[in-house]
Amino acid sequence: RSSHPRGRRDDDGDDDCSDGGLRSVAEACVGYVAADLSALVRRAALNGTERRSRLRKTEEGERSSADAPTTSHITAGDLLDATKEVGASCLRDAALSAPPPTSWDDVAGDAGGAKPALVAAVEWPRTRRRAFGALGLRPPRGVLLHG
């Protein structure tokens, strides 16, 4: 946790974790669990330390590790940058488990007009809602395939 009062800038000119900054971080962390937040803070601390080290090296030339500052704090910018590297664990597999896109061309054959009947049963209730409503038709709740 930061030792600076809210809204104060640190010695590098970075904004401390103000309410607005923390709100931005919270909005970016949808789906994060406690372990994800812990990893996020750890990554933000590492990124912030590396950034401050690079900044000081360019300002003062090379420094020895003994001269390096031992205290630092995490800014909202550090946390937001870390969200690019640490994602929500509950969303990691979502992209991998999504089914591939399928079109009607992928459905093989047309035995006895089954394909047009499927199109009418599956697509028409979504694409022709007004017609269904005007005729007083209720869309089917499912399609039973056999054979």
PDB file of all heavy atoms in Angstrom, residues 31-72:
ATOM      1  N   GLY A  31     -14.022 -10.001 -13.551  1.00  0.00           N
ATOM      2  CA  GLY A  31     -13.750 -11.429 -13.670  1.00  0.00           C
ATOM      3  C   GLY A  31     -12.524 -11.895 -12.909  1.00  0.00           C
ATOM      4  O   GLY A  31     -12.225 -13.083 -12.875  1.00  0.00           O
ATOM      5  N   TYR A  32     -11.785 -10.986 -12.288  1.00  0.00           N
ATOM      6  CA  TYR A  32     -10.597 -11.368 -11.531  1.00  0.00           C
ATOM      7  C   TYR A  32     -11.000 -11.965 -10.188  1.00  0.00           C
ATOM      8  O   TYR A  32     -11.928 -11.489  -9.552  1.00  0.00           O
ATOM      9  CB  TYR A  32      -9.706 -10.150 -11.273  1.00  0.00           C
ATOM     10  CG  TYR A  32      -8.861  -9.712 -12.443  1.00  0.00           C
ATOM     11  CD1 TYR A  32      -9.432  -9.396 -13.666  1.00  0.00           C
ATOM     12  CD2 TYR A  32      -7.495  -9.598 -12.320  1.00  0.00           C
ATOM     13  CE1 TYR A  32      -8.657  -8.983 -14.739  1.00  0.00           C
ATOM     14  CE2 TYR A  32      -6.703  -9.173 -13.386  1.00  0.00           C
ATOM     15  CZ  TYR A  32      -7.297  -8.873 -14.592  1.00  0.00           C
ATOM     16  OH  TYR A  32      -6.528  -8.466 -15.643  1.00  0.00           O
ATOM     17  N   VAL A  33     -10.308 -13.015  -9.774  1.00  0.00           N
ATOM     18  CA  VAL A  33     -10.485 -13.591  -8.445  1.00  0.00           C
ATOM     19  C   VAL A  33      -9.310 -13.137  -7.584  1.00  0.00           C
ATOM     20  O   VAL A  33      -8.387 -12.470  -8.076  1.00  0.00           O
ATOM     21  CB  VAL A  33     -10.586 -15.132  -8.507  1.00  0.00           C
ATOM     22  CG1 VAL A  33     -11.819 -15.566  -9.283  1.00  0.00           C
ATOM     23  CG2 VAL A  33      -9.337 -15.744  -9.111  1.00  0.00           C
ATOM     24  N   ALA A  34      -9.314 -13.504  -6.314  1.00  0.00           N
ATOM     25  CA  ALA A  34      -8.282 -13.038  -5.384  1.00  0.00           C
ATOM     26  C   ALA A  34      -6.866 -13.385  -5.863  1.00  0.00           C
ATOM     27  O   ALA A  34      -5.961 -12.551  -5.793  1.00  0.00           O
ATOM     28  CB  ALA A  34      -8.530 -13.617  -4.001  1.00  0.00           C
ATOM     29  N   ALA A  35      -6.682 -14.583  -6.377  1.00  0.00           N
ATOM     30  CA  ALA A  35      -5.351 -14.984  -6.859  1.00  0.00           C
ATOM     31  C   ALA A  35      -4.932 -14.131  -8.057  1.00  0.00           C
ATOM     32  O   ALA A  35      -3.756 -13.782  -8.200  1.00  0.00           O
ATOM     33  CB  ALA A  35      -5.346 -16.456  -7.234  1.00  0.00           C
ATOM     34  N   ASP A  36      -5.887 -13.785  -8.927  1.00  0.00           N
ATOM     35  CA  ASP A  36      -5.572 -12.929 -10.079  1.00  0.00           C
ATOM     36  C   ASP A  36      -5.158 -11.540  -9.611  1.00  0.00           C
ATOM     37  O   ASP A  36      -4.219 -10.953 -10.144  1.00  0.00           O
ATOM     38  CB  ASP A  36      -6.792 -12.798 -11.000  1.00  0.00           C
ATOM     39  CG  ASP A  36      -7.261 -14.121 -11.566  1.00  0.00           C
ATOM     40  OD1 ASP A  36      -6.422 -15.040 -11.706  1.00  0.00           O
ATOM     41  OD2 ASP A  36      -8.463 -14.242 -11.863  1.00  0.00           O
ATOM     42  N   LEU A  37      -5.869 -11.000  -8.609  1.00  0.00           N
ATOM     43  CA  LEU A  37      -5.537  -9.669  -8.092  1.00  0.00           C
ATOM     44  C   LEU A  37      -4.170  -9.668  -7.423  1.00  0.00           C
ATOM     45  O   LEU A  37      -3.409  -8.711  -7.557  1.00  0.00           O
ATOM     46  CB  LEU A  37      -6.616  -9.197  -7.124  1.00  0.00           C
ATOM     47  CG  LEU A  37      -7.979  -8.922  -7.757  1.00  0.00           C
ATOM     48  CD1 LEU A  37      -9.015  -8.650  -6.687  1.00  0.00           C
ATOM     49  CD2 LEU A  37      -7.897  -7.781  -8.752  1.00  0.00           C
ATOM     50  N   SER A  38      -3.850 -10.760  -6.745  1.00  0.00           N
ATOM     51  CA  SER A  38      -2.533 -10.875  -6.121  1.00  0.00           C
ATOM     52  C   SER A  38      -1.442 -10.883  -7.189  1.00  0.00           C
ATOM     53  O   SER A  38      -0.427 -10.193  -7.057  1.00  0.00           O
ATOM     54  CB  SER A  38      -2.481 -12.155  -5.281  1.00  0.00           C
ATOM     55  OG  SER A  38      -1.200 -12.342  -4.739  1.00  0.00           O
ATOM     56  N   ALA A  39      -1.652 -11.639  -8.248  1.00  0.00           N
ATOM     57  CA  ALA A  39      -0.683 -11.683  -9.347  1.00  0.00           C
ATOM     58  C   ALA A  39      -0.591 -10.320 -10.040  1.00  0.00           C
ATOM     59  O   ALA A  39       0.492  -9.898 -10.454  1.00  0.00           O
ATOM     60  CB  ALA A  39      -1.074 -12.759 -10.356  1.00  0.00           C
ATOM     61  N   LEU A  40      -1.724  -9.628 -10.149  1.00  0.00           N
ATOM     62  CA  LEU A  40      -1.748  -8.307 -10.766  1.00  0.00           C
ATOM     63  C   LEU A  40      -0.903  -7.315  -9.972  1.00  0.00           C
ATOM     64  O   LEU A  40      -0.092  -6.576 -10.540  1.00  0.00           O
ATOM     65  CB  LEU A  40      -3.191  -7.809 -10.878  1.00  0.00           C
ATOM     66  CG  LEU A  40      -3.363  -6.427 -11.503  1.00  0.00           C
ATOM     67  CD1 LEU A  40      -3.203  -6.525 -13.011  1.00  0.00           C
ATOM     68  CD2 LEU A  40      -4.711  -5.858 -11.144  1.00  0.00           C
ATOM     69  N   VAL A  41      -1.069  -7.310  -8.659  1.00  0.00           N
ATOM     70  CA  VAL A  41      -0.298  -6.393  -7.805  1.00  0.00           C
ATOM     71  C   VAL A  41       1.186  -6.738  -7.860  1.00  0.00           C
ATOM     72  O   VAL A  41       2.039  -5.858  -7.943  1.00  0.00           O
ATOM     73  CB  VAL A  41      -0.842  -6.426  -6.352  1.00  0.00           C
ATOM     74  CG1 VAL A  41       0.079  -5.686  -5.410  1.00  0.00           C
ATOM     75  CG2 VAL A  41      -2.244  -5.844  -6.309  1.00  0.00           C
ATOM     76  N   ARG A  42       1.490  -8.029  -7.866  1.00  0.00           N
ATOM     77  CA  ARG A  42       2.889  -8.455  -7.941  1.00  0.00           C
ATOM     78  C   ARG A  42       3.514  -7.989  -9.267  1.00  0.00           C
ATOM     79  O   ARG A  42       4.611  -7.447  -9.295  1.00  0.00           O
ATOM     80  CB  ARG A  42       2.955  -9.980  -7.802  1.00  0.00           C
ATOM     81  CG  ARG A  42       4.290 -10.522  -7.486  1.00  0.00           C
ATOM     82  CD  ARG A  42       4.293 -11.999  -7.078  1.00  0.00           C
ATOM     83  NE  ARG A  42       3.307 -12.852  -7.719  1.00  0.00           N
ATOM     84  CZ  ARG A  42       2.210 -13.328  -7.120  1.00  0.00           C
ATOM     85  NH1 ARG A  42       1.965 -13.024  -5.868  1.00  0.00           N
ATOM     86  NH2 ARG A  42       1.376 -14.106  -7.758  1.00  0.00           N
ATOM     87  N   ARG A  43       2.787  -8.169 -10.386  1.00  0.00           N
ATOM     88  CA  ARG A  43       3.280  -7.753 -11.693  1.00  0.00           C
ATOM     89  C   ARG A  43       3.414  -6.232 -11.754  1.00  0.00           C
ATOM     90  O   ARG A  43       4.379  -5.701 -12.294  1.00  0.00           O
ATOM     91  CB  ARG A  43       2.346  -8.268 -12.787  1.00  0.00           C
ATOM     92  CG  ARG A  43       2.638  -7.771 -14.192  1.00  0.00           C
ATOM     93  CD  ARG A  43       4.067  -7.932 -14.656  1.00  0.00           C
ATOM     94  NE  ARG A  43       4.534  -9.289 -14.608  1.00  0.00           N
ATOM     95  CZ  ARG A  43       5.822  -9.622 -14.743  1.00  0.00           C
ATOM     96  NH1 ARG A  43       6.739  -8.718 -14.955  1.00  0.00           N
ATOM     97  NH2 ARG A  43       6.183 -10.883 -14.682  1.00  0.00           N
ATOM     98  N   ALA A  44       2.441  -5.505 -11.186  1.00  0.00           N
ATOM     99  CA  ALA A  44       2.488  -4.040 -11.177  1.00  0.00           C
ATOM    100  C   ALA A  44       3.696  -3.551 -10.385  1.00  0.00           C
ATOM    101  O   ALA A  44       4.352  -2.585 -10.780  1.00  0.00           O
ATOM    102  CB  ALA A  44       1.196  -3.473 -10.600  1.00  0.00           C
ATOM    103  N   ALA A  45       3.990  -4.218  -9.270  1.00  0.00           N
ATOM    104  CA  ALA A  45       5.150  -3.831  -8.462  1.00  0.00           C
ATOM    105  C   ALA A  45       6.443  -4.046  -9.245  1.00  0.00           C
ATOM    106  O   ALA A  45       7.329  -3.187  -9.241  1.00  0.00           O
ATOM    107  CB  ALA A  45       5.175  -4.624  -7.167  1.00  0.00           C
ATOM    108  N   LEU A  46       6.543  -5.173  -9.931  1.00  0.00           N
ATOM    109  CA  LEU A  46       7.740  -5.435 -10.738  1.00  0.00           C
ATOM    110  C   LEU A  46       7.863  -4.432 -11.881  1.00  0.00           C
ATOM    111  O   LEU A  46       8.942  -3.880 -12.124  1.00  0.00           O
ATOM    112  CB  LEU A  46       7.688  -6.858 -11.303  1.00  0.00           C
ATOM    113  CG  LEU A  46       7.922  -7.984 -10.309  1.00  0.00           C
ATOM    114  CD1 LEU A  46       7.625  -9.331 -10.947  1.00  0.00           C
ATOM    115  CD2 LEU A  46       9.344  -7.944  -9.791  1.00  0.00           C
ATOM    116  N   ASN A  47       6.762  -4.188 -12.579  1.00  0.00           N
ATOM    117  CA  ASN A  47       6.791  -3.233 -13.689  1.00  0.00           C
ATOM    118  C   ASN A  47       7.136  -1.828 -13.202  1.00  0.00           C
ATOM    119  O   ASN A  47       7.904  -1.114 -13.841  1.00  0.00           O
ATOM    120  CB  ASN A  47       5.450  -3.206 -14.418  1.00  0.00           C
ATOM    121  CG  ASN A  47       5.194  -4.470 -15.216  1.00  0.00           C
ATOM    122  OD1 ASN A  47       6.082  -5.300 -15.379  1.00  0.00           O
ATOM    123  ND2 ASN A  47       3.982  -4.614 -15.699  1.00  0.00           N
ATOM    124  N   GLY A  48       6.559  -1.425 -12.069  1.00  0.00           N
ATOM    125  CA  GLY A  48       6.842  -0.102 -11.516  1.00  0.00           C
ATOM    126  C   GLY A  48       8.290   0.045 -11.106  1.00  0.00           C
ATOM    127  O   GLY A  48       8.914   1.086 -11.340  1.00  0.00           O
ATOM    128  N   THR A  49       8.836  -0.991 -10.502  1.00  0.00           N
ATOM    129  CA  THR A  49      10.240  -0.964 -10.093  1.00  0.00           C
ATOM    130  C   THR A  49      11.156  -0.861 -11.313  1.00  0.00           C
ATOM    131  O   THR A  49      12.109  -0.081 -11.322  1.00  0.00           O
ATOM    132  CB  THR A  49      10.588  -2.215  -9.269  1.00  0.00           C
ATOM    133  OG1 THR A  49       9.743  -2.257  -8.124  1.00  0.00           O
ATOM    134  CG2 THR A  49      12.036  -2.202  -8.819  1.00  0.00           C
ATOM    135  N   GLU A  50      10.847  -1.653 -12.354  1.00  0.00           N
ATOM    136  CA  GLU A  50      11.653  -1.591 -13.575  1.00  0.00           C
ATOM    137  C   GLU A  50      11.549  -0.217 -14.231  1.00  0.00           C
ATOM    138  O   GLU A  50      12.547   0.341 -14.689  1.00  0.00           O
ATOM    139  CB  GLU A  50      11.190  -2.665 -14.561  1.00  0.00           C
ATOM    140  CG  GLU A  50      11.520  -4.071 -14.123  1.00  0.00           C
ATOM    141  CD  GLU A  50      10.864  -5.123 -14.996  1.00  0.00           C
ATOM    142  OE1 GLU A  50      10.165  -4.763 -15.981  1.00  0.00           O
ATOM    143  OE2 GLU A  50      11.044  -6.313 -14.708  1.00  0.00           O
ATOM    144  N   ARG A  51      10.357   0.349 -14.270  1.00  0.00           N
ATOM    145  CA  ARG A  51      10.145   1.661 -14.882  1.00  0.00           C
ATOM    146  C   ARG A  51      10.915   2.736 -14.131  1.00  0.00           C
ATOM    147  O   ARG A  51      11.614   3.559 -14.730  1.00  0.00           O
ATOM    148  CB  ARG A  51       8.656   1.998 -14.917  1.00  0.00           C
ATOM    149  CG  ARG A  51       8.337   3.355 -15.520  1.00  0.00           C
ATOM    150  CD  ARG A  51       6.854   3.666 -15.467  1.00  0.00           C
ATOM    151  NE  ARG A  51       6.219   3.366 -14.204  1.00  0.00           N
ATOM    152  CZ  ARG A  51       6.317   4.101 -13.107  1.00  0.00           C
ATOM    153  NH1 ARG A  51       7.039   5.193 -13.116  1.00  0.00           N
ATOM    154  NH2 ARG A  51       5.696   3.755 -11.997  1.00  0.00           N
ATOM    155  N   ARG A  52      10.803   2.718 -12.787  1.00  0.00           N
ATOM    156  CA  ARG A  52      11.525   3.720 -11.991  1.00  0.00           C
ATOM    157  C   ARG A  52      13.032   3.553 -12.125  1.00  0.00           C
ATOM    158  O   ARG A  52      13.775   4.530 -12.166  1.00  0.00           O
ATOM    159  CB  ARG A  52      11.095   3.640 -10.530  1.00  0.00           C
ATOM    160  CG  ARG A  52       9.725   4.265 -10.273  1.00  0.00           C
ATOM    161  CD  ARG A  52       9.385   4.296  -8.811  1.00  0.00           C
ATOM    162  NE  ARG A  52       9.106   2.990  -8.248  1.00  0.00           N
ATOM    163  CZ  ARG A  52       7.935   2.358  -8.377  1.00  0.00           C
ATOM    164  NH1 ARG A  52       6.953   2.904  -9.033  1.00  0.00           N
ATOM    165  NH2 ARG A  52       7.747   1.179  -7.841  1.00  0.00           N
ATOM    166  N   SER A  53      13.483   2.328 -12.216  1.00  0.00           N
ATOM    167  CA  SER A  53      14.912   2.075 -12.376  1.00  0.00           C
ATOM    168  C   SER A  53      15.411   2.624 -13.708  1.00  0.00           C
ATOM    169  O   SER A  53      16.462   3.273 -13.766  1.00  0.00           O
ATOM    170  CB  SER A  53      15.178   0.576 -12.293  1.00  0.00           C
ATOM    171  OG  SER A  53      16.521   0.295 -12.567  1.00  0.00           O
ATOM    172  N   ARG A  54      14.655   2.375 -14.786  1.00  0.00           N
ATOM    173  CA  ARG A  54      15.045   2.910 -16.097  1.00  0.00           C
ATOM    174  C   ARG A  54      15.030   4.436 -16.089  1.00  0.00           C
ATOM    175  O   ARG A  54      15.909   5.075 -16.648  1.00  0.00           O
ATOM    176  CB  ARG A  54      14.091   2.398 -17.180  1.00  0.00           C
ATOM    177  CG  ARG A  54      14.347   0.982 -17.616  1.00  0.00           C
ATOM    178  CD  ARG A  54      13.565   0.650 -18.870  1.00  0.00           C
ATOM    179  NE  ARG A  54      12.154   0.988 -18.796  1.00  0.00           N
ATOM    180  CZ  ARG A  54      11.197   0.172 -18.371  1.00  0.00           C
ATOM    181  NH1 ARG A  54      11.520  -1.045 -17.978  1.00  0.00           N
ATOM    182  NH2 ARG A  54       9.937   0.562 -18.340  1.00  0.00           N
ATOM    183  N   LEU A  55      14.033   5.015 -15.435  1.00  0.00           N
ATOM    184  CA  LEU A  55      13.909   6.470 -15.370  1.00  0.00           C
ATOM    185  C   LEU A  55      15.101   7.078 -14.634  1.00  0.00           C
ATOM    186  O   LEU A  55      15.679   8.071 -15.073  1.00  0.00           O
ATOM    187  CB  LEU A  55      12.597   6.853 -14.663  1.00  0.00           C
ATOM    188  CG  LEU A  55      12.095   8.228 -14.976  1.00  0.00           C
ATOM    189  CD1 LEU A  55      11.084   8.101 -16.105  1.00  0.00           C
ATOM    190  CD2 LEU A  55      11.436   8.827 -13.766  1.00  0.00           C
ATOM    191  N   ARG A  56      15.465   6.474 -13.513  1.00  0.00           N
ATOM    192  CA  ARG A  56      16.587   6.995 -12.736  1.00  0.00           C
ATOM    193  C   ARG A  56      17.903   6.825 -13.475  1.00  0.00           C
ATOM    194  O   ARG A  56      18.787   7.675 -13.385  1.00  0.00           O
ATOM    195  CB  ARG A  56      16.635   6.309 -11.376  1.00  0.00           C
ATOM    196  CG  ARG A  56      15.533   6.827 -10.467  1.00  0.00           C
ATOM    197  CD  ARG A  56      15.743   6.399  -9.032  1.00  0.00           C
ATOM    198  NE  ARG A  56      14.720   6.991  -8.202  1.00  0.00           N
ATOM    199  CZ  ARG A  56      13.595   6.382  -7.855  1.00  0.00           C
ATOM    200  NH1 ARG A  56      13.356   5.164  -8.271  1.00  0.00           N
ATOM    201  NH2 ARG A  56      12.714   6.985  -7.102  1.00  0.00           N
ATOM    202  N   LYS A  57      18.049   5.717 -14.225  1.00  0.00           N
ATOM    203  CA  LYS A  57      19.284   5.501 -14.980  1.00  0.00           C
ATOM    204  C   LYS A  57      19.452   6.560 -16.053  1.00  0.00           C
ATOM    205  O   LYS A  57      20.555   7.030 -16.300  1.00  0.00           O
ATOM    206  CB  LYS A  57      19.289   4.108 -15.604  1.00  0.00           C
ATOM    207  CG  LYS A  57      19.587   3.024 -14.612  1.00  0.00           C
ATOM    208  CD  LYS A  57      19.581   1.667 -15.267  1.00  0.00           C
ATOM    209  CE  LYS A  57      19.820   0.586 -14.236  1.00  0.00           C
ATOM    210  NZ  LYS A  57      19.790  -0.753 -14.821  1.00  0.00           N
ATOM    211  N   THR A  58      18.368   6.927 -16.699  1.00  0.00           N
ATOM    212  CA  THR A  58      18.478   7.951 -17.741  1.00  0.00           C
ATOM    213  C   THR A  58      18.709   9.328 -17.140  1.00  0.00           C
ATOM    214  O   THR A  58      19.370  10.152 -17.750  1.00  0.00           O
ATOM    215  CB  THR A  58      17.214   7.989 -18.622  1.00  0.00           C
ATOM    216  OG1 THR A  58      16.080   8.252 -17.801  1.00  0.00           O
ATOM    217  CG2 THR A  58      17.034   6.695 -19.369  1.00  0.00           C
ATOM    218  N   GLU A  59      18.181   9.584 -15.941  1.00  0.00           N
ATOM    219  CA  GLU A  59      18.349  10.892 -15.307  1.00  0.00           C
ATOM    220  C   GLU A  59      19.721  11.055 -14.674  1.00  0.00           C
ATOM    221  O   GLU A  59      20.326  12.108 -14.746  1.00  0.00           O
ATOM    222  CB  GLU A  59      17.283  11.108 -14.237  1.00  0.00           C
ATOM    223  CG  GLU A  59      15.899  11.323 -14.791  1.00  0.00           C
ATOM    224  CD  GLU A  59      14.855  11.437 -13.688  1.00  0.00           C
ATOM    225  OE1 GLU A  59      15.208  11.251 -12.507  1.00  0.00           O
ATOM    226  OE2 GLU A  59      13.700  11.689 -14.019  1.00  0.00           O
ATOM    227  N   GLU A  60      20.200  10.010 -14.018  1.00  0.00           N
ATOM    228  CA  GLU A  60      21.424  10.138 -13.221  1.00  0.00           C
ATOM    229  C   GLU A  60      22.580   9.305 -13.736  1.00  0.00           C
ATOM    230  O   GLU A  60      23.629   9.256 -13.114  1.00  0.00           O
ATOM    231  CB  GLU A  60      21.122   9.731 -11.777  1.00  0.00           C
ATOM    232  CG  GLU A  60      20.035  10.556 -11.133  1.00  0.00           C
ATOM    233  CD  GLU A  60      19.645  10.007  -9.767  1.00  0.00           C
ATOM    234  OE1 GLU A  60      20.348   9.117  -9.261  1.00  0.00           O
ATOM    235  OE2 GLU A  60      18.649  10.474  -9.218  1.00  0.00           O
ATOM    236  N   GLY A  61      22.428   8.624 -14.845  1.00  0.00           N
ATOM    237  CA  GLY A  61      23.477   7.731 -15.322  1.00  0.00           C
ATOM    238  C   GLY A  61      23.372   6.411 -14.580  1.00  0.00           C
ATOM    239  O   GLY A  61      22.460   6.175 -13.797  1.00  0.00           O
ATOM    240  N   GLU A  62      24.310   5.532 -14.809  1.00  0.00           N
ATOM    241  CA  GLU A  62      24.287   4.225 -14.163  1.00  0.00           C
ATOM    242  C   GLU A  62      24.431   4.349 -12.648  1.00  0.00           C
ATOM    243  O   GLU A  62      25.225   5.127 -12.153  1.00  0.00           O
ATOM    244  CB  GLU A  62      25.435   3.345 -14.704  1.00  0.00           C
ATOM    245  CG  GLU A  62      25.239   2.917 -16.129  1.00  0.00           C
ATOM    246  CD  GLU A  62      24.055   1.977 -16.279  1.00  0.00           C
ATOM    247  OE1 GLU A  62      23.843   1.135 -15.394  1.00  0.00           O
ATOM    248  OE2 GLU A  62      23.338   2.107 -17.280  1.00  0.00           O
ATOM    249  N   ARG A  63      23.626   3.594 -11.925  1.00  0.00           N
ATOM    250  CA  ARG A  63      23.705   3.563 -10.457  1.00  0.00           C
ATOM    251  C   ARG A  63      24.038   2.151 -10.015  1.00  0.00           C
ATOM    252  O   ARG A  63      23.656   1.196 -10.657  1.00  0.00           O
ATOM    253  CB  ARG A  63      22.355   3.938  -9.847  1.00  0.00           C
ATOM    254  CG  ARG A  63      21.910   5.347 -10.146  1.00  0.00           C
ATOM    255  CD  ARG A  63      20.528   5.537  -9.623  1.00  0.00           C
ATOM    256  NE  ARG A  63      20.513   5.364  -8.186  1.00  0.00           N
ATOM    257  CZ  ARG A  63      19.868   6.136  -7.341  1.00  0.00           C
ATOM    258  NH1 ARG A  63      19.168   7.137  -7.800  1.00  0.00           N
ATOM    259  NH2 ARG A  63      19.904   5.927  -6.063  1.00  0.00           N
ATOM    260  N   SER A  64      24.669   2.036  -8.912  1.00  0.00           N
ATOM    261  CA  SER A  64      24.923   0.702  -8.366  1.00  0.00           C
ATOM    262  C   SER A  64      23.672   0.225  -7.656  1.00  0.00           C
ATOM    263  O   SER A  64      22.815   1.005  -7.279  1.00  0.00           O
ATOM    264  CB  SER A  64      26.106   0.741  -7.396  1.00  0.00           C
ATOM    265  OG  SER A  64      25.740   1.446  -6.226  1.00  0.00           O
ATOM    266  N   SER A  65      23.547  -1.066  -7.478  1.00  0.00           N
ATOM    267  CA  SER A  65      22.359  -1.606  -6.826  1.00  0.00           C
ATOM    268  C   SER A  65      22.279  -1.161  -5.369  1.00  0.00           C
ATOM    269  O   SER A  65      21.208  -1.118  -4.784  1.00  0.00           O
ATOM    270  CB  SER A  65      22.351  -3.133  -6.913  1.00  0.00           C
ATOM    271  OG  SER A  65      23.498  -3.657  -6.267  1.00  0.00           O
ATOM    272  N   ALA A  66      23.398  -0.798  -4.761  1.00  0.00           N
ATOM    273  CA  ALA A  66      23.376  -0.318  -3.381  1.00  0.00           C
ATOM    274  C   ALA A  66      22.732   1.062  -3.295  1.00  0.00           C
ATOM    275  O   ALA A  66      22.164   1.425  -2.276  1.00  0.00           O
ATOM    276  CB  ALA A  66      24.799  -0.256  -2.829  1.00  0.00           C
ATOM    277  N   ASP A  67      22.821   1.842  -4.387  1.00  0.00           N
ATOM    278  CA  ASP A  67      22.231   3.172  -4.399  1.00  0.00           C
ATOM    279  C   ASP A  67      20.750   3.153  -4.751  1.00  0.00           C
ATOM    280  O   ASP A  67      20.081   4.162  -4.652  1.00  0.00           O
ATOM    281  CB  ASP A  67      22.936   4.064  -5.429  1.00  0.00           C
ATOM    282  CG  ASP A  67      24.385   4.303  -5.051  1.00  0.00           C
ATOM    283  OD1 ASP A  67      24.703   4.204  -3.851  1.00  0.00           O
ATOM    284  OD2 ASP A  67      25.192   4.575  -5.972  1.00  0.00           O
ATOM    285  N   ALA A  68      20.252   2.004  -5.198  1.00  0.00           N
ATOM    286  CA  ALA A  68      18.861   1.932  -5.640  1.00  0.00           C
ATOM    287  C   ALA A  68      17.925   2.140  -4.456  1.00  0.00           C
ATOM    288  O   ALA A  68      18.204   1.681  -3.342  1.00  0.00           O
ATOM    289  CB  ALA A  68      18.583   0.575  -6.277  1.00  0.00           C
ATOM    290  N   PRO A  69      16.816   2.831  -4.668  1.00  0.00           N
ATOM    291  CA  PRO A  69      15.875   3.057  -3.574  1.00  0.00           C
ATOM    292  C   PRO A  69      15.252   1.744  -3.117  1.00  0.00           C
ATOM    293  O   PRO A  69      15.008   0.853  -3.914  1.00  0.00           O
ATOM    294  CB  PRO A  69      14.820   3.974  -4.186  1.00  0.00           C
ATOM    295  CG  PRO A  69      14.952   3.820  -5.655  1.00  0.00           C
ATOM    296  CD  PRO A  69      16.363   3.422  -5.913  1.00  0.00           C
ATOM    297  N   THR A  70      15.002   1.640  -1.832  1.00  0.00           N
ATOM    298  CA  THR A  70      14.432   0.405  -1.285  1.00  0.00           C
ATOM    299  C   THR A  70      12.926   0.515  -1.075  1.00  0.00           C
ATOM    300  O   THR A  70      12.285  -0.485  -0.839  1.00  0.00           O
ATOM    301  CB  THR A  70      15.098   0.058   0.064  1.00  0.00           C
ATOM    302  OG1 THR A  70      14.912   1.165   0.952  1.00  0.00           O
ATOM    303  CG2 THR A  70      16.574  -0.231  -0.128  1.00  0.00           C
ATOM    304  N   THR A  71      12.370   1.720  -1.117  1.00  0.00           N
ATOM    305  CA  THR A  71      10.931   1.877  -0.940  1.00  0.00           C
ATOM    306  C   THR A  71      10.312   2.395  -2.229  1.00  0.00           C
ATOM    307  O   THR A  71      10.921   3.172  -2.953  1.00  0.00           O
ATOM    308  CB  THR A  71      10.609   2.869   0.191  1.00  0.00           C
ATOM    309  OG1 THR A  71      11.185   4.131  -0.134  1.00  0.00           O
ATOM    310  CG2 THR A  71      11.143   2.376   1.517  1.00  0.00           C
ATOM    311  N   SER A  72       9.139   1.928  -2.509  1.00  0.00           N
ATOM    312  CA  SER A  72       8.404   2.383  -3.683  1.00  0.00           C
ATOM    313  C   SER A  72       6.929   2.085  -3.449  1.00  0.00           C
ATOM    314  O   SER A  72       6.560   1.448  -2.471  1.00  0.00           O
ATOM    315  CB  SER A  72       8.897   1.671  -4.938  1.00  0.00           C
ATOM    316  OG  SER A  72       8.629   0.296  -4.854  1.00  0.00           O
TER     317      SER A  72
END
